[in-house]
Amino acid sequence: MADYNEPLFSMPGVSSGISWGDMIDKIMEKARKPVELWETQQDTLRLKVKLYEEFSAVLKGARNALTVLKQPSTYKMKQAEITSLTTGVSDAAILTATATTEAYIGRWNIEVLQKAVAETRIGTRFDSASEALGLTGTFSIRVGDKVAEISVAASDSLRAINQMIARATDAASGASVGVTSKLIDNRLVISSAASGTNTISITEGKLTRSASGDVDAVPFRTSGGAFPDILQLKYGAVTYQSGTDFTYNQSTGKITWLTGGSKPPAGVQYDVTYAATQNITKAATNTLTLPPSGLFPTSISISGGGVTYEEGADYTYDANTGTITWLAGPADGTALTVTLGNPKVDQSVFFLEPGTGDDIIAALGLNLNDADHYTAAQNAELLVEGVRVTRSSNTIDDLIGGVTLNLQGPGKVTLDVVSDMEKAVESIEEFVAAYNDAMEWINVRLSEESAVDSLAKDDPKRSDDFYKKFGLLHGDSLLWQTKSQLRRLVTDPLNILGPLKQLSQIGISTEKTDYGKSGKLVFDKEAFMAAATPGSLPFMDQWMTDALGSSTTPLNQLKTDFAGGDFLISVGGKQARITVKATDTLADVNAKINLAKDEASGDRIRVRSTIIDNVLSIASTDIDANITLQDPNGVLKKLGIDVSNPLDATHHVQDTSAYVGNLLTAAMTNMDTYFGNLVDSSQIAVGSAVTIKGRVASQISHLNSQITSIDKRISRFEQQLSIKQRGLFDQYSQMEVTLAKLNQQYSWLASTLSALTAKQQAAS
């Protein structure tokens, strides 16, 4: 398009002496006045777009700040606080603890008696870790039912043996055998991979019949190091007898199948019973029934009535005959249980077993049991509220629900699990700041006046966008509506269960300065913590039913065998009887409670009943008057309220702390929805049309559409002006040509007249 602000051409009249170009420029400048007006309108619209984009940004900032506050987990955070009761020992030196959101709030007295310790063997010191030791032979490492054989050559050094032990795997499964090995100061240090003993009971199992010989090995040792007793060997329906079919060397754990006896087929698995029980009636002496294997166990334990009797003090046992001779113990005729064999296996204890060749274990000093060379496995022991607890690990997560204890050393502590509202408080403070930024922006734009109108016409500020945007949103209806709705979202009660309905109850309210005209928020942290701390904030007593699925369906269709009946509500010295029919709905019960009157005086009782999400809530309207419910016909119990259990926090409000999260989650979800309805730029269908969801986003889109529309209007008008300009050029050019012809004619006439005049004068 032509730029009509500059002369497009200079066309001085050769014949006429008229500057046609200047004339056309002035005509076009006047014709272009509407374009200037439209461009001014566009500038204003663009400034408004920028302002609404600023508005959208501050709203999005407030929306982002409430993200954490929408999450229920924010208000379920728990913290474990530990106080040492042992003089001179810090709490961190006794135990540390972490609590999950599911941890139960309460206090526990804990005494750590001992930490769990991994079994460790320390070998003797060598002069060099890299020189060949000249040892040849094998030894095995046994941990639980895993066995690894270490084969040592004469060229192997201490470092090489250390690496073989560290990489040792079970011959059968290929899994790690369960030990660690380190080389420290030219000493082998072998430890169980896990602390404690990790004791389990193995009463039976399966062995695989050797495919290459007649000897099978029991894969584990019992607590104390001995191989287990064998009470029965069985394959299918066949039970094998000791001395006839096999022999068992308990010191080596080897079962030898005898020639001529019965035996399982090579390569198959057969059943082994290592421990069992027999019931006896106490007499001066008792003889055990011979186990199916034909072998009496080498070890037994006897218990009855919660008492375990000690061999040597209460009785003696002859493993050859299975005879128990009582020295003390219970009265004759007492029923007792005898456990045959030792079913306990320490899965974290390792055994070093000699093999072939040199005694490598002894050569390395790994057979020494003094304090400098051996540390026995030890379980963690602690007292929790006086109850003795044993665990194999120092990390205990199955003792106090939702709490993980990490034992550090002996000592006494108190462990308090409390609500951790730090994250919630920080998030509320961030939200209040962002909300107030948005409200300040709204207040400024609504109240500011135009800055340009008061400036002189030649003031350069009149063309500065910073000043031009002042007052463009003065009194804007969208801003007024947004401010009004945000105030309502903060102050209006929410239709939710529980004693907390308004944000002001937990310290979030509109500031009182100038009667709260600014709409800004203030946050009272102390009030919030009072609401979040059990027992700190008074509240209206309230009972709630189960969620029933529908409030308009007859109760006998929602609850099996619901027959109706009466229940009584007492509050503030007045009592009302509510009669419920089997065909009543939850809405019917709600209406009856709200109309209930005292049986004696006929006065209304001070309760309010509501239905929220198909849950019936019965609340006192007097903060000083609690509700007492009587349920002689079990009506309320059918609906989920057990009046005999007022401590049921699910159906009877105990304090406000459990409902802080409900209130904030609901309020912030509503706020988030409203912000979304303002700033979301996604498209939604409205009938057959498609529009932008957010009102601010829609307004920006509308303004941009207006700008585009004006662009098109200007473009069309510029085309018209261009045509007009060309027409003027053609018109004035033609006029100049015509004037030139006239001048030529004038010159000819003048010349002709001059010649005629000269002739006339000459003739006279």
Side-chain angles (χ1 to χ4, degrees), residues 399-448:
L399 187 57
I400 299 172
V403 177
T404 298
L405 303 177
N406 296 288
L407 308 188
Q408 305 297 326
K412 291 183 179 181
V413 298
T414 58
L415 169 65
D416 291 289
V417 177
V418 298
S419 292
D420 182 7
M421 287 295 180
E422 181 178 357
K423 184 177 181 181
V425 168
E426 291 176 354
S427 298
I428 292 172
E429 290 173 340
E430 290 175 4
F431 167 70
V432 168
Y435 179 97
N436 287 345
D437 287 344
M439 199 60 78
E440 174 68 13
W441 193 94
I442 292 173
N443 291 334
V444 169
R445 296 308 175 197
L446 283 174
S447 60
E448 67 185 2

Side-chain angles (χ1 to χ4, degrees), residues 514-537:
D514 196 20
Y515 304 101
K517 290 181 180 179
S518 72
K520 293 183 178 180
L521 299 181
V522 291
F523 175 47
D524 186 340
K525 182 178 177 180
E526 292 184 1
F528 176 79
M529 292 308 299
T533 302
S536 298
L537 191 70

